[in-house]
Amino acid sequence: MGRKMRRFQCWGWPAMTAAVSIQGVHKRFAALQALKGISMEVPQGSFFGLLGPNGAGKSTLINIMAGLARADAGSIHVMGHDVVSAWRQSRHALGVVPQELVYDPFFSVREVLRLQSGYFGLGRGNDAWIDELLEILSLTDKADANLQDLSGGMKRRVLIAQALVHRPEVVVLDEPTAGVDVELRRSLWRFARRLHREGHTILLTTHYLEEAESLCDEIAILNRGELMTRDSKRNLLARYPWRTLHITVDHATFQLPETLVSLLTNADDNCLTFRLHREQDTIGEVLAALQSAGLTVVDLSTEEVGLEEVFLRLTGQSGENT
Amino acid sequence: MKAGFNVRGFYTLFAKEVRRFLKVTVQTVLTPMVTALLFLLVFGQVLEAHVEVYAGVNYSAFLIPGLMMMSIIQNAFANSSSSIIQSKMTGNLVFVLLAPISSLEFFAAFVLAAVVRGLLVALAVYGVAVLFIDLPLTHPWAIAVFAMLGSATLGALGVIAGIWADKYDQLAGFQNFFILPLSFLSGVFYSIHALPEIWQQISHFNPFFYLIDGFRWGFFGQSDAGVVMSLSVSLGFLFVLSGLALYLLFKGYKIRR
């Protein structure tokens, strides 16, 4: 077939084709260098989070992957198919759920799914799968409704069905929960997990870091067109092995034990905040030191470092969302 | 899907474009038919007794092929151009761009749908007009060939305009300052022999003139430029516009970044 195969090696597993292989991709828009030589691989079967602040290059990278934009240099392979030289095969392997709620106002839900199926060369033999998708996404009742008569949440489900209509191996969810209500967000999370369990590779871009932390097992963070990091979620979180301990004691004035001074990050009357190393410091030691200083603990809480802090450190951002 | 050409993908896109305009037939078929018949009624009534363009052909009969081709030109152009710009503006063009559909399949689907609409409007005009006016069909093959050439050419031009335009205003400008004047000044209502010499010369640079002239030859066996010349220029125009449209699609001009 003349196609180049990109491979990655998992721990002790035989080499297998990466779901998405990105090699040295550059892209410039006028004066803006949107992507500066991005290289990374998305393993097959992973739930991969692509994170980054606005303008980081996430959408540009996805657009190049999907054939909606062309790289100035470098290459992307989807399931081993070059998105330029083997574009038909790569598009068959990829299903993209666009970020914007776009739809064709001339057609019903079932009609757009049949049209999308036909674009991929599939005929009426695919109708059973279309019916199944309608059922899975709770769209059966709306199958004959015109798209412009649907709510935003329903339109979002139709976009997902359109992306899955040709049974792609890799599914790109581009900000799927942006602007949706809590109930729909939870339902979309459940559906994404189901797709992942059924063997799809999921590539998720999101502004909600708790979403990435909850769903993804692999994370890449882009910033200003550069890849800041790409690692498993577990390794990323382990890079910052700190947790925060908030303690309220019964006295506002006291002498803090010497062993706790280096751990203290804030003291506000009788409310103390300590930064503890996950492996070197224990909460028990802190409590014992306070007790030996004659203090009684009246309240206690802990905060674990999340993906958000990792993200903020890597991108130099502030604020709770990207 | 066969290697090299996604037949079902092409057919699906073509069928979708046809269904799109059939869902609004009042706007896409009936309105242009009524407009053409109003032209026929007004100009035919006013000029019938005063003008005989070809020997033995009354003015109303002369007018019908011109109005049919004018309807083909305007509607074939409108079909592909409006569909593409609407898909661009609403963003749903992405569904086609994400699919394994090549530039050629995309182009062929939009142009063929434009041909269908152009022919449908022309047949509607013909069907009503011949109820009142006798119209010979001297060379039916030429009528069919020029009708298809005209609709395919304007379908291709519509693809170019739809890709180029960023907003409806630009497309309206293209339609009103390019398509409309060229179609009105191409001999729809007159033979160019009735024009001063300089305007006759200028008319020969209007490609729509050859489409109408060849089409009219199919009905009456008489023409201004000669059928071979009309066929040659019309085919050349179609090839040039198709080449340009395919080039723009292949480069992804204004549709792929």
Side-chain angles (χ1 to χ4, degrees):
Chain A
M1 294 172 71
R3 71 189 192 212
K4 293 178 182 173
M5 302 293 280
R6 300 282 166 179
R7 291 169 182 278
F8 75 97
Q9 186 76 44
C10 286
W11 296 97
W13 293 2
M16 62 190 299
T17 307
V20 181
S21 173
I22 300 165
Q23 301 298 326
V25 171
H26 290 260
K27 180 69 180 176
R28 173 182 284 279
F29 295 111
L32 174 70
Q33 185 72 45
L35 295 174
K36 303 171 184 169
I38 302 292
S39 295
M40 65 174 178
E41 292 192 331
V42 176
Q44 269 190 52
S46 62
F47 204 130
F48 196 96
L50 184 59
L51 311 180
N54 287 330
K58 307 185 296 292
S59 293
T60 302
L61 195 60
I62 285 172
N63 285 344
I64 294 172
M65 201 182 294
L68 299 176
R70 287 168 187 171
D72 298 331
S75 65
I76 298 184
H77 291 72
V78 178
M79 296 303 291
H81 307 294
D82 188 298
V83 299
V84 176
S85 63
W87 58 273
R88 282 197 205 267
Q89 292 91 332
S90 73
R91 287 184 203 173
H92 268 281
L94 192 68
V96 179
V97 182
Q99 186 178 340
E100 293 82 16
L101 277 182
V102 291
Y103 61 94
D104 193 327
F106 283 90
F107 299 102
S108 71
V109 174
R110 192 186 298 280
E111 282 173 328
V112 297
L113 294 181
R114 280 190 177 148
L115 287 172
Q116 200 65 24
S117 177
Y119 296 159
F120 280 85
L122 304 167
R124 285 298 171 98
N126 202 37
D127 278 1
W129 172 236
I130 289 174
D131 286 339
E132 200 176 327
L133 276 175
L134 290 170
E135 181 69 31
I136 293 167
L137 288 158
S138 306
L139 287 167
T140 304
D141 293 346
K142 302 288 182 186
D144 298 315
N146 188 291
L147 276 152
Q148 62 189 348
D149 298 330
L150 300 186
S151 67
M154 287 288 181
K155 288 192 183 99
R156 180 77 62 187
R157 288 167 203 249
V158 176
L159 285 178
I160 294 172
Q162 282 180 273
L164 297 176
V165 79
H166 60 289
R167 300 174 186 259
E169 289 134 306
V170 183
V171 179
V172 175
L173 303 170
D174 192 5
E175 307 275 358
T177 55
V180 306
D181 62 31
V182 175
E183 189 184 347
L184 179 59
R185 181 178 300 180
R186 297 282 171 192
S187 135
L188 291 175
W189 284 15
R190 278 196 300 275
F191 187 67
R193 285 195 179 101
R194 175 179 171 169
L195 286 175
H196 183 231
R197 273 199 310 276
E198 290 173 355
H200 292 276
T201 302
I202 310 289
L203 178 53
L204 171 78
T205 76
T206 180
H207 270 136
Y208 302 107
L209 295 171
E210 74 275 16
E211 185 167 271
E213 191 169 341
S214 166
L215 294 170
C216 301
D217 46 39
E218 302 277 336
I219 303 276
I221 297 178
L222 294 185
N223 192 28
R224 294 176 184 172
E226 290 180 282
L227 181 65
M228 307 306 291
T229 189
R230 181 256 176 269
D231 210 335
S232 68
K233 179 176 68 184
R234 188 175 174 178
N235 286 345
L236 272 181
L237 293 176
R239 284 190 200 179
Y240 300 95
W242 305 101
R243 61 182 158 184
T244 304
L245 175 65
H246 300 283
I247 288 180
T248 305
V249 293
D250 57 345
H251 293 97
T253 52
F254 51 84
Q255 181 68 41
L256 193 69
E258 195 66 31
T259 53
L260 298 184
V261 171
S262 63
L263 302 179
L264 187 71
T265 58
N266 190 43
D268 185 9
D269 291 334
N270 56 339
C271 296
L272 309 173
T273 303
F274 299 96
R275 185 168 180 254
L276 307 185
H277 191 282
R278 213 184 295 266
E279 290 170 0
Q280 294 166 9
D281 307 309
T282 67
I283 295 174
E285 286 168 357
V286 176
L287 295 178
L290 291 173
Q291 198 169 20
S292 66
L295 295 167
T296 300
V297 173
V298 295
D299 195 15
L300 176 152
S301 66
T302 60
E303 277 177 42
E304 298 295 321
V305 169
L307 198 54
E308 187 171 326
E309 187 164 333
V310 177
F311 178 88
L312 294 176
R313 282 167 188 267
L314 284 168
T315 60
Q317 298 277 307
S318 60
E320 62 179 33
N321 283 334
T322 59
Chain B
M1 185 181 73
K2 288 180 182 173
F5 197 88
N6 178 357
V7 177
R8 196 184 291 275
F10 150 75
Y11 178 75
T12 304
L13 186 55
F14 159 69
K16 178 217 147 193
E17 284 303 305
V18 171
R19 284 162 66 192
R20 188 191 63 80
F21 82 72
L22 288 179
K23 286 190 181 229
V24 282
T25 38
V26 171
Q27 179 197 333
T28 56
V29 180
L30 285 179
T31 300
M33 183 197 76
V34 170
T35 304
L37 292 174
L38 282 172
F39 274 121
L40 182 63
L41 183 71
V42 173
F43 284 88
Q45 285 296 313
V46 171
L47 299 173
E48 179 76 46
H50 308 288
V51 179
E52 185 184 62
V53 183
Y54 295 150
V57 177
N58 69 46
Y59 183 70
S60 293
F62 172 85
L63 201 52
I64 294 169
L67 290 172
M68 285 171 70
M69 183 52 83
M70 190 176 78
S71 303
I72 287 173
I73 287 171
Q74 293 176 355
N75 286 280
F77 175 83
N79 204 66
S80 48
S81 61
S82 63
S83 179
I84 290 175
I85 196 166
Q86 191 173 41
S87 296
K88 275 169 60 179
M89 300 283 283
T90 59
N92 67 56
L93 189 65
V94 73
F95 300 123
V96 180
L97 299 178
L98 287 170
I101 289 179
S102 69
S103 304
L104 179 61
E105 291 146 11
F106 182 104
F107 172 78
F110 275 87
V111 169
L112 202 57
V115 168
V116 172
R117 175 163 160 195
L119 296 183
L120 208 58
V121 175
L123 280 172
V125 173
Y126 176 80
V128 177
V130 293
L131 295 176
F132 307 101
I133 299 159
D134 285 333
L135 195 63
L137 299 172
T138 308
H139 302 291
W141 68 266
I143 295 170
V145 165
F146 279 97
M148 282 191 277
L149 271 176
S151 47
T153 302
L154 271 295
L157 190 56
V159 170
I160 294 168
I163 292 171
W164 164 78
D166 295 316
K167 45 191 178 180
Y168 293 111
D169 195 41
Q170 289 175 328
L171 193 60
F174 198 98
Q175 202 151 11
N176 292 323
F177 299 118
F178 184 71
I179 303 294
L180 200 61
L182 283 185
S183 61
F184 267 69
L185 298 174
S186 60
V188 171
F189 302 101
Y190 52 82
S191 160
I192 62 164
H193 290 127
L195 297 174
E197 179 63 24
I198 181 69
W199 284 105
Q200 285 189 39
Q201 295 301 321
I202 290 172
S203 293
H204 283 96
F205 290 98
N206 179 356
F208 296 176
F209 158 71
Y210 297 95
L211 287 169
I212 289 181
D213 202 51
F215 190 60
R216 195 171 267 142
W217 181 82
F219 286 91
F220 307 117
Q222 301 178 61
S223 64
D224 290 341
V227 70
V228 175
M229 171 66 107
S230 292
L231 194 58
S232 305
V233 173
S234 300
L235 276 171
F237 193 40
L238 174 61
F239 282 131
V240 169
L241 292 180
S242 299
L244 180 57
L246 281 167
Y247 175 77
L248 295 178
L249 286 168
F250 181 73
K251 299 300 280 184
Y253 180 71
K254 289 196 176 182
I255 54 175
R256 295 185 199 271
R257 300 183 72 183

